[in-house]
Amino acid sequence: MPEEAITTLRAELNGFGRAEIGFALLETFLQVAGAWGVEAVLDPRRLLLPDEMTDDRALVQGLIEESAQWPVVKWGPFTVHERRFALEDDQARWDYTRLAYCSSAATVWSRGRSTTYFEVVDHHRATYWLPDSLKEQYFATLEAKRWEIPESWLTAVPKQPKPWWKRGR
């Protein structure tokens, strides 16, 4: 069976009219993707409040300050610098949505970590990579909630993945 085409969607906060739109779009994505068995993790070190954030600044600053109390995870002799969020929990999903854009590395990926669906890098670059079936569910949910889908997302062209024998070249 052929793999689904993947659509790349840019999701930087400064690309939306208001940063809160980006948060709402991410939170909705997490609701939809939760059924796909995804994990949401972020690096809790060096969390920075984005300049674009307006409405929830004080709440998110409080989350950032609380993150200093999160336990350090050890895995054998290694320290794991990531924090997992339970997407089935409404509060955890809200927290992740706001903190993802504060982090230098935040990712939503498949449980086996073989597929990345969303990523924030260096506090400002944010991208979705959506297979057609997930994109269809996500866009249908956004429309049902009456959220306007960004024009650049509607015109993004899906691309077929390279055959497995051509990957890595």
Side-chain angles (χ1 to χ4, degrees), residues 38-166:
V38 299
E39 292 183 346
V41 299
L42 60 77
D43 185 341
R45 299 172 296 170
R46 298 179 303 280
L47 294 173
L48 301 173
L49 196 61
D51 291 336
E52 295 88 357
M53 184 179 292
T54 56
D55 293 347
D56 297 327
R57 287 188 76 77
L59 288 171
V60 176
Q61 185 60 46
L63 284 174
I64 290 171
E65 291 167 7
E66 285 176 26
S67 72
Q69 307 305 317
W70 292 345
V72 175
V73 177
K74 292 287 191 178
W75 189 55
F78 304 104
T79 300
V80 178
H81 295 290
E82 70 179 23
R83 163 91 156 134
R84 296 175 193 268
F85 290 79
L87 296 181
E88 62 278 357
D89 178 84
D90 291 340
Q91 184 63 50
R93 197 169 49 245
W94 188 93
D95 292 349
Y96 180 82
T97 298
R98 286 359 179 242
L99 290 175
Y101 282 99
C102 297
S103 180
S104 61
T107 309
V108 176
W109 47 34
S110 61
R111 282 234 177 358
R113 297 190 180 195
S114 60
T115 305
T116 302
Y117 296 110
F118 174 79
E119 182 176 56
V120 173
V121 178
D122 294 331
H123 302 282
H124 66 278
R125 272 193 348 246
T127 308
Y128 291 91
W129 294 277
L130 304 180
D132 283 343
S133 54
L134 178 55
K135 178 181 158 189
E136 184 179 307
Q137 288 177 1
Y138 179 42
F139 281 17
T141 303
L142 289 174
E143 288 172 354
K145 289 184 172 199
R146 300 188 186 273
W147 281 105
E148 186 175 335
I149 300 169
E151 184 64 33
S152 63
W153 289 14
L154 293 171
T155 59
V157 178
K159 295 181 181 172
Q160 280 301 125
K162 287 183 180 180
W164 64 268
W165 64 88
K166 288 187 177 179

